[in-house]
Amino acid sequence: TCALPICKETEKWPYVCPKDCPKRGWCRLPKCSYDAGDADVSYRETLSSSRSGICCTQEELDAMNAIVVPLAKQGQSLEAIWTEHAGELPVCVRSAYKYQELGAVGLTSLDMPRKARLLPRRRPDAKGQKRERVDRTGRTYDDFNGLPVEDKARVVQGDSVEGYEWNGSDILSLHLAAHAFQIYLKKDVKSSPAPVVAWLDVIEGELGSPEAFEEIFGILLLDRGAEFDDWAGMERSCLVPGARRCRVFYCDAQNSNQKSQAERNHERLRRILPKKRSDFDKLSVWDVAVCCSHVNSYPLARKSGTFRPIEAAAAVIPQHLLDALGIERVPADEVTLKPYLMAHAVEQ
């Protein structure tokens, strides 16, 4: 038997039977139809397969290895090799890193010193849980920059300081930029962002009113960590229903330099609690207060002369709040910024 002829209409784009074809109901010629779901699956399979595996011949791969491997074993980075030999190599440097991970390039991670020093990237958890998108409209860094100068001058920069990766607690820091004064508060990591709101409630409760809180902590500039997602909880008063105690703003993503004063202040805390050597789970709330007292009693040099943050902040922070948080002035000769101050929590 001979095969049925192909309809001329299906030999041109869009290669399917036209809807207005007069023979549509009884035509016996082979039919072509379009299914959006099947087309999408086919497209994604093609997209994935085109970006997986090795996209060069074995000869090209051998020639690339002949150039790259000896130079890499001499200590040259792939970037340096590609700078000099890009025209002789079949792929870009990013593909070369991918091929090395697949084992197609004759190099191990130990042959690439910088890569050997880097920690593996954090992957999403097995459950694939993602943070809910936070609407920061009206609270961006541009909005912060639009504030009057007097409001920006009294900003309090918020951040978190971490211990070991597996620790269940970290330290909330609130930096009063105008006075270089830092408040450190131990908080739970897993229940973020509730601990931040809870600590702000404690501070407002000690101050006695949202107005008193607003006078000191009225402008908060924070990063985009999950612990700071609940801007509504941070802004609302816990004493007066419906009242607002502060305004919350966020730095741009990956721009911690926008709250650089707080970042620099952490250097003094890290002298006591070194990174990757400090077990924050072994710190009590009062241990953190002791660290805070020593950091704020440390003398700082400015053009106007030497000053201590704890003395400068006395003009705006009531003594009863400092007492409640366990922060006190340490005599100059007793100020200690060494790990042995918290020896029980620092790996020697």
Side-chain angles (χ1 to χ4, degrees):
T1 58
C2 60
L4 291 173
I6 300 295
C7 177
K8 296 295 183 182
E9 293 294 334
T10 62
E11 293 182 346
K12 59 185 179 180
W13 190 90
Y15 308 105
V16 296
C17 298
K19 292 183 178 180
D20 56 353
C21 178
K23 302 179 181 179
R24 189 175 181 86
W26 51 268
C27 177
R28 292 190 176 184
L29 295 178
K31 305 292 190 302
C32 296
S33 61
Y34 175 79
D35 184 280
D38 291 342
D40 183 67
V41 170
S42 176
Y43 158 74
R44 295 189 182 280
E45 288 177 352
T46 302
L47 189 67
S48 176
S49 62
S50 66
R51 287 165 170 76
S52 61
I54 307 299
C55 296
C56 60
T57 65
Q58 186 62 48
E59 290 75 16
E60 290 174 328
L61 192 61
D62 292 341
M64 182 176 73
N65 277 329
I67 297 173
V68 173
V69 174
L71 294 175
K73 290 185 179 294
Q74 292 174 206
Q76 295 191 27
S77 69
L78 296 190
E79 286 79 4
I81 296 171
W82 255 254
T83 299
E84 294 296 326
H85 300 276
E88 307 169 51
L89 300 169
V91 297
C92 66
V93 67
R94 290 186 63 183
S95 295
Y97 276 108
K98 174 185 172 184
Y99 291 1
Q100 187 272 329
E101 291 179 356
L102 293 173
V105 178
L107 296 171
T108 67
S109 294
L110 293 177
D111 296 319
M112 307 163 71
R114 185 173 180 273
K115 184 176 180 181
R117 292 197 303 269
L118 297 177
L119 294 174
R121 289 186 179 181
R122 292 186 178 182
R123 303 291 184 183
D125 57 37
K127 297 180 181 178
Q129 295 178 351
K130 296 182 179 180
R131 287 168 54 191
E132 293 185 7
R133 187 177 181 86
V134 178
D135 183 6
R136 298 185 175 90
T137 304
R139 295 174 175 81
T140 66
Y141 190 69
D142 288 338
D143 296 314
F144 169 75
N145 278 330
L147 295 176
V149 175
E150 56 271 21
D151 284 344
K152 290 194 289 185
R154 63 191 186 95
V155 65
V156 176
Q157 300 174 351
D159 201 357
S160 292
V161 184
E162 299 178 347
Y164 288 125
E165 185 177 355
W166 45 263
N167 277 163
S169 57
D170 61 9
I171 295 175
L172 167 67
S173 69
L174 299 173
H175 181 75
L176 281 67
H179 306 283
F181 183 81
Q182 195 85 15
I183 296 176
Y184 296 134
L185 305 164
K186 182 179 178 179
K187 65 179 178 68
D188 181 44
V189 174
K190 297 180 180 179
S191 55
S192 291
V196 175
V197 176
W199 269 119
L200 296 184
D201 289 348
V202 168
I203 294 173
E204 183 189 7
E206 186 61 35
L207 291 172
S209 69
E211 292 78 16
F213 184 96
E214 196 278 337
E215 186 175 349
I216 304 172
F217 303 94
I219 304 295
L220 298 181
L221 179 62
L222 313 170
D223 61 34
R224 300 195 174 207
E227 66 271 33
F228 299 124
D229 279 353
D230 188 7
W231 56 262
M234 291 184 281
E235 289 188 348
R236 62 106 181 99
S237 170
C238 67
L239 299 177
V240 181
R244 187 176 71 178
R245 62 189 176 192
C246 66
R247 296 181 64 187
V248 172
F249 297 91
Y250 294 93
C251 296
D252 295 330
Q254 307 298 322
N255 276 277
S256 59
N257 60 297
Q258 293 173 346
K259 50 180 179 62
S260 56
Q261 295 97 322
E263 298 291 337
R264 285 196 299 269
N265 188 274
H266 292 166
E267 294 177 4
R268 290 189 283 278
L269 178 63
R270 284 301 189 185
R271 296 187 199 178
I272 304 172
L273 301 170
K275 195 172 185 179
K276 297 183 181 179
R277 288 175 50 201
S278 303
D279 187 349
F280 282 15
D281 289 343
K282 293 182 179 180
L283 296 172
S284 68
V285 173
W286 300 111
D287 287 335
V288 175
V290 169
C291 295
C292 185
S293 299
H294 281 261
V295 168
N296 286 307
S297 298
Y298 186 78
L300 303 177
R302 284 190 174 177
K303 292 182 179 180
S304 56
T306 301
F307 82 106
R308 291 175 175 78
I310 197 165
E311 297 171 355
V316 294
I317 300 180
Q319 185 60 44
H320 63 86
L321 175 59
L322 296 177
D323 293 340
L325 297 177
I327 304 172
E328 58 186 7
R329 183 181 182 278
V330 178
D333 291 342
E334 297 179 17
V335 173
T336 304
L337 300 185
K338 287 287 187 178
Y340 64 76
L341 182 66
M342 292 291 141
H344 63 285
V346 178
E347 179 183 348
Q348 301 300 322

